[in-house]
Amino acid sequence: MGEVVLHPVVEDEGLTLHIEHWEGPLDLLLDLARGQKVDLHEISILELTEQFVAYIERAQALQLEVAADYLVMAAWLAYLKSCLLLPKDPEVDPSPEELAWRLQQRLMRLDAMREAGARLLGRDRVGRDVFLRAAPEGLRTERKSRWQVRAYDLFAAYGQVRARTQPAMHVVHDRKVMTLEHAMERLQSMLGFAVEWTDLRRFLPRSEDKAFLKSCLASSFLASLELARTGMIDLEQEEPFGAVKVKKGR
Amino acid sequence: MSEDFARKVEAVLFAADEPLTAEQIGDHAGEGDVKAALGELAGHYAGRGIELVERGKRWHFQTAGDLAHLLRRTREEPRKLSRAGTECLAIIAYHEPVTRAEIEAIRGVQISKGTLDVLMEAGWVRTAGRRETPGRPLQYATTPDFLTHFGLASRRDLPGIDDLKAAGLLDPLDEEALELALSGDDEEEDEVEVGDEEV
Amino acid sequence: MSEDFARKVEAVLFAADEPLTAEQIGDHAGEGDVKAALGELAGHYAGRGIELVERGKRWHFQTAGDLAHLLRRTREEPRKLSRAGTECLAIIAYHEPVTRAEIEAIRGVQISKGTLDVLMEAGWVRTAGRRETPGRPLQYATTPDFLTHFGLASRRDLPGIDDLKAAGLLDPLDEEALELALSGDDEEEDEVEVGDEEV
C-alpha cells in the first residue's frame, strides 16, 4: 500500500510503535507466522489470528490510522477464529479448517516468492558480480542497396525521355471559313432585298459543308450585330432562341 | 578447420556489445557449425577468468563470478530494487505469464503504480499479450535480458523452481483466492488499468 | 598458483573500459607477478580470435586483426532504381560521355546529386574526365559492369531510335502505357521528381 501506517510491534511484553511499510496485511501475517515457526506448515492459525487481531485492536485503541485492508483482514480472521472454536457444523462449506488451510497456503506462496526474490537478487548479477566487456568493438551490419533495374525499363525510360522532350509540331488543318469582313460585305450587298423582316439564315450561301455553314452563320450574325450598331439594319428576335430577323435600316 | 571457425565465433562474441543468438553469430562468422564452436569455446573458457555463458539462447562472455571482488567498483547494486519490486519480479518470473490481479493476489496487496514500470524500464519484464478471460487483462512475463542479468540459462534455472512446482506453490490461483485477496475497490482499479495500458 | 593469478589478470583486462598499465592491473588483481601473467596470457591467446596486445605500456584485449572484417557485415538489399535514376542511366548510356547539364537538357528535368551517386554506387556509371569547355564540367559514362548487368555485349547493342520507335517506345501517345510499364512505386517518386529529385 502506498499509505504510511503506524504499525504496532510487540517487543517483550510492551508495545512499541514503528513507522514502517508493511507490504499489506498478508505481509504482516507472514512476519507473525515466521515469528512462530520456521516451517510454515507447522504454524498455528489460531495463534496467528489472535496475534494479528490483537495488533490491530491495540493500534486502534491507540487511535492510530489503520488501512482498510488490515481491518478487513482482522475482521475475516476474527470470523475464522470463532468458526474454528465453535463446534463443527458439517453444513458449512468451505469448512473453517479448509479456510485455515487456504490461508496457510497463501502465506506459503508469498513466503516462497519472497525467498525466491532474495535468491534471485543474490545471484551473480551482471554489472555487480560478473562483468561484460566494458568497451567492445561492437558489431555492425551495414545495409547496402543492390539497385535493380531491367533492360526493358532502361530502354523504355529512354524512349519516354525522347518522347517527352521531342519538339512537337502542331499542324492545324486547312478549314473553309467565312471571315467577319466577308460576312459584312455580303450582308451589306444583299440588304437591298430586305425591305421586310427576313430570317438571317436566308442570307447564307448554299453549301454541303456543314462546318462551313456554321462558320457562315456565326460570322453573319456578328456582321448583323455590327451593321445594326451603325444603323444600317434593324434586328429582331421574337423569343429566346427564336429566328433572328433583319430588315434594311431607315 | 573447425578451430578456425571457433576463433571466428570467439571474435564475434568478444566484439559484440550485447548477447548474441547462434543465428546472429552465424550471420557474422559465416559458414560453420556455430553450436559446435560454442560448445568448444565454452569448454575452453571453463575455469578461466572469462567465461562463455548461454542465457536464454543468447551467448556472451563475462568475467568469472568468483572474481567479483576484484572487479566490483562499488558495493552498490546496479539497480536497487524495492521489496515490492523484488517480489513482483519473482512472481512474474516464477508464474509467467501472469496478470496484475494474480500478482496482487499472491502478495495480498495492490501493486503501486511505479513497481511494474521499474521492472519494465530495467528491461527485465515485458507485457505478454492479454489473457483471454473476461476483461482481457494484460499479462506480464520476463525478458531475455532478465535471464542475462541474473545469470540464468533459462527459466528452468530459477532457484528452487522445481521444488516450488512440486509443492503446488506455483499452481494457478483459483478464483476464490483472487477474490479473497482483493477487496471490492480493487476491481475498479483493474478496469482503469485496462484503459490505461491500452495507450 | 600462477595460473590462478593469470585468470585474475585476464578478468581485469576483459572488464576494463580502457587499456591498463601493469601497475593498474596489479591494483585490481592483487598480489602476483603481473608481467609473468601478461606473458602467459599473451601466449595463450596468440592465434585465437582474441589477442592480448601492448600499446605504449598499456595492455588490452582486442579482436584479432585478421577477423576485423567479421565485425562489419554488409547486407545487400535489393532496391528498385527510381524512375529518375533509370532515365538518367539511359541518357548516359545513349549519349556518353555526357555532362550533367546535358543530361538535364535531354530529360527536361533537373537531376539531384543523389541520382548520379546512386548510379555510381551501383557500379554502372563512372566519371569520364572533364569536358574541355568553359567551366570544364565533369562527364559521365557507363562502366563495363553496366554492359554486363544489362546483358549487352557493347553499347552498340543498345536499341536504336528506330528500334524504340518500332517497339512503340517513342510514341508520345503511349506515355500512359509506359508509365504502366514502369512499375507502380515509381509514381510516388514522380511527384518528388517535380521538385527536388529523390533517388
Side-chain angles (χ1 to χ4, degrees):
Chain A
M1 298 299 297
E3 67 221 85
V4 175
V5 185
L6 286 177
H7 294 284
V9 173
V10 174
E11 274 179 10
D12 302 325
E13 289 301 296
L15 185 73
T16 53
L17 298 169
H18 293 272
I19 298 174
E20 278 181 320
H21 264 107
W22 293 102
E23 295 279 337
L26 209 57
D27 185 28
L28 173 52
L29 263 178
L30 182 58
D31 263 22
L32 293 171
R34 276 260 174 247
Q36 267 188 33
K37 286 271 190 316
V38 177
D39 187 349
L40 292 180
H41 286 281
E42 318 227 317
I43 54 163
S44 157
I45 291 291
L46 213 54
E47 196 182 317
L48 191 60
T49 296
E50 277 166 7
Q51 285 177 327
F52 187 91
V53 173
Y55 273 31
I56 301 301
E57 278 172 358
R58 295 293 289 276
Q60 282 178 300
L62 288 167
Q63 294 187 313
L64 300 174
E65 198 184 323
V66 179
D69 44 358
Y70 289 80
L71 297 175
V72 170
M73 178 63 91
W76 186 81
L77 286 172
Y79 163 76
L80 177 63
K81 180 185 156 192
S82 64
C83 289
L84 285 169
L85 293 175
L86 286 172
K88 257 200 175 88
D89 180 352
E91 299 291 301
V92 174
D93 182 49
S95 68
E97 285 75 18
E98 167 76 14
L99 289 178
W101 180 82
R102 284 187 196 170
L103 178 60
Q104 197 178 19
Q105 284 290 304
R106 292 194 60 203
L107 290 174
M108 286 168 67
R109 269 176 182 267
L110 177 58
D111 188 55
M113 287 302 103
R114 184 158 298 170
E115 198 192 329
R119 286 172 75 176
L120 216 45
L121 292 194
R123 291 184 61 84
D124 280 350
R125 288 165 62 187
V126 171
R128 189 190 68 169
D129 308 293
V130 297
F131 296 85
L132 308 183
R133 205 169 157 221
E137 287 95 339
L139 300 175
R140 288 197 215 335
T141 300
E142 283 159 9
R143 284 159 207 280
K144 197 179 164 209
S145 299
R146 191 172 68 245
W147 295 101
Q148 292 189 320
V149 56
R150 295 175 303 154
Y152 175 78
D153 297 333
L154 191 71
F155 306 145
Y158 188 68
Q160 195 182 17
V161 168
R162 294 298 299 251
R164 194 171 65 216
T165 56
Q166 233 159 27
M169 191 150 67
H170 296 280
V171 181
V172 178
H173 291 288
D174 193 17
R175 253 176 69 199
K176 215 174 159 195
V177 292
M178 178 184 277
T179 63
L180 179 60
E181 290 74 25
H182 184 204
M184 281 181 62
E185 267 172 38
R186 196 181 147 80
L187 207 54
Q188 269 176 302
S189 65
M190 293 172 81
L191 264 181
F193 305 102
V195 189
E196 301 299 321
W197 287 110
T198 311
D199 192 327
L200 180 65
R201 282 174 290 187
R202 294 195 52 194
F203 293 90
L204 303 185
R206 284 171 202 284
S207 171
E208 294 297 309
D209 187 343
K210 290 215 172 110
F212 175 63
L213 282 177
K214 272 192 180 161
S215 167
C216 292
L217 179 61
S219 301
S220 298
F221 175 62
L222 281 177
S224 71
L225 289 177
E226 186 61 26
L227 293 173
R229 192 174 65 83
T230 55
M232 292 182 72
I233 61 167
D234 291 336
L235 273 174
E236 185 190 75
Q237 188 180 30
E238 283 171 355
E239 54 184 352
F241 305 110
V244 175
K245 293 176 181 171
V246 297
K247 192 172 86 167
K248 192 175 181 199
R250 276 165 294 173
Chain B
M1 196 65 162
S2 94
E3 199 163 275
D4 217 44
F5 184 65
R7 72 184 279 272
K8 287 183 185 173
V9 173
E10 185 180 29
V12 167
L13 278 167
F14 183 75
D17 46 17
E18 57 179 9
L20 299 179
T21 63
E23 196 189 340
Q24 290 170 319
I25 294 167
D27 285 347
H28 281 275
E31 282 294 306
D33 188 341
V34 177
K35 290 266 153 81
L38 286 168
E40 195 179 313
L41 287 171
H44 174 82
Y45 278 96
R48 297 193 63 87
I50 308 169
E51 287 171 351
L52 179 60
V53 294
E54 182 189 6
R55 304 285 183 246
K57 303 221 178 290
R58 302 190 304 173
W59 297 75
H60 71 269
F61 279 117
Q62 64 182 29
T63 57
D66 65 310
L67 301 178
H69 61 285
L70 300 177
L71 307 168
R72 210 174 275 160
R73 286 161 198 109
T74 60
R75 289 254 153 217
E76 228 164 88
E77 296 199 357
R79 188 177 287 271
K80 187 87 183 117
L81 264 192
S82 68
R83 198 165 125 201
T86 308
E87 285 180 19
C88 264
L89 180 62
I91 292 167
I92 293 169
Y94 283 76
H95 291 80
E96 76 177 47
V98 65
T99 67
R100 183 171 172 141
E102 287 170 330
I103 299 170
E104 291 177 338
I106 292 168
R107 297 190 62 229
V109 70
Q110 288 184 25
I111 303 177
S112 62
K113 196 132 184 58
T115 308
L116 282 170
D117 291 353
V118 164
L119 297 177
M120 292 207 270
E121 198 207 318
W124 296 335
V125 165
R126 62 185 170 90
T127 58
R130 292 185 180 277
R131 174 97 35 103
E132 289 306 331
T133 54
R136 303 188 67 238
L138 258 181
Q139 303 181 117
Y140 297 90
T142 53
T143 62
D145 279 354
F146 163 79
L147 297 175
T148 300
H149 183 87
F150 290 99
L152 301 161
S154 75
R155 279 189 60 243
R156 283 193 301 276
D157 276 4
L158 285 168
I161 191 168
D162 291 337
D163 294 339
L164 294 177
K165 220 175 245 171
L169 292 176
L170 298 182
D171 292 348
L173 291 158
D174 50 37
E175 270 178 42
E176 273 174 67
L178 281 171
E179 277 166 33
L180 187 89
L182 304 166
S183 41
D185 60 341
D186 288 329
E187 277 163 44
E188 268 171 54
E189 176 132 325
D190 270 358
E191 277 174 62
V192 173
E193 178 191 336
V194 171
D196 272 352
E197 256 146 358
E198 247 159 353
V199 177
Chain C
M1 197 62 163
S2 94
E3 201 165 272
D4 217 43
F5 185 67
R7 70 187 281 274
K8 290 181 183 173
V9 173
E10 187 180 30
V12 167
L13 280 169
F14 176 83
D17 53 10
E18 55 179 9
L20 300 179
T21 62
E23 197 187 345
Q24 289 170 319
I25 296 168
D27 287 347
H28 278 99
E31 280 296 305
D33 187 342
V34 176
K35 288 269 151 77
L38 285 170
E40 195 179 315
L41 287 171
H44 173 83
Y45 279 98
R48 295 194 64 85
I50 305 170
E51 287 171 352
L52 179 61
V53 294
E54 182 190 3
R55 296 270 184 276
K57 303 233 175 277
R58 287 172 184 272
W59 297 77
H60 71 278
F61 279 120
Q62 68 179 28
T63 308
D66 66 315
L67 299 178
H69 64 281
L70 298 177
L71 313 186
R72 306 265 173 279
R73 182 169 69 106
T74 52
R75 197 167 75 195
E76 290 207 326
E77 288 171 346
R79 267 181 79 183
K80 193 159 165 37
L81 193 64
S82 69
R83 181 162 152 190
T86 309
E87 288 186 6
C88 208
L89 180 61
I91 292 166
I92 294 170
Y94 277 90
H95 297 267
E96 76 178 50
V98 64
T99 65
R100 180 169 166 162
E102 287 171 331
I103 298 170
E104 289 177 343
I106 295 167
R107 267 195 86 208
V109 188
Q110 288 203 344
I111 52 172
S112 69
K113 185 168 180 328
T115 305
L116 283 169
D117 288 347
V118 162
L119 296 177
M120 292 206 271
E121 185 205 310
W124 294 330
V125 166
R126 63 186 166 88
T127 56
R130 294 188 178 274
R131 176 84 47 93
E132 289 307 331
T133 55
R136 302 188 66 243
L138 258 180
Q139 302 183 120
Y140 297 91
T142 54
T143 63
D145 274 358
F146 165 81
L147 295 175
T148 311
H149 182 89
F150 291 97
L152 302 166
S154 75
R155 282 186 56 246
R156 280 195 305 274
D157 285 358
L158 287 170
I161 296 299
D162 291 341
D163 300 318
L164 294 176
K165 197 172 269 171
L169 293 175
L170 262 185
D171 190 343
L173 297 178
D174 233 12
E175 200 146 325
E176 271 176 52
L178 275 168
E179 259 163 50
L180 284 176
L182 298 168
S183 82
D185 60 346
D186 287 331
E187 276 168 45
E188 259 176 61
E189 287 171 50
D190 270 357
E191 281 175 61
V192 178
E193 193 179 325
V194 173
D196 191 17
E197 248 181 355
E198 277 288 322
V199 178

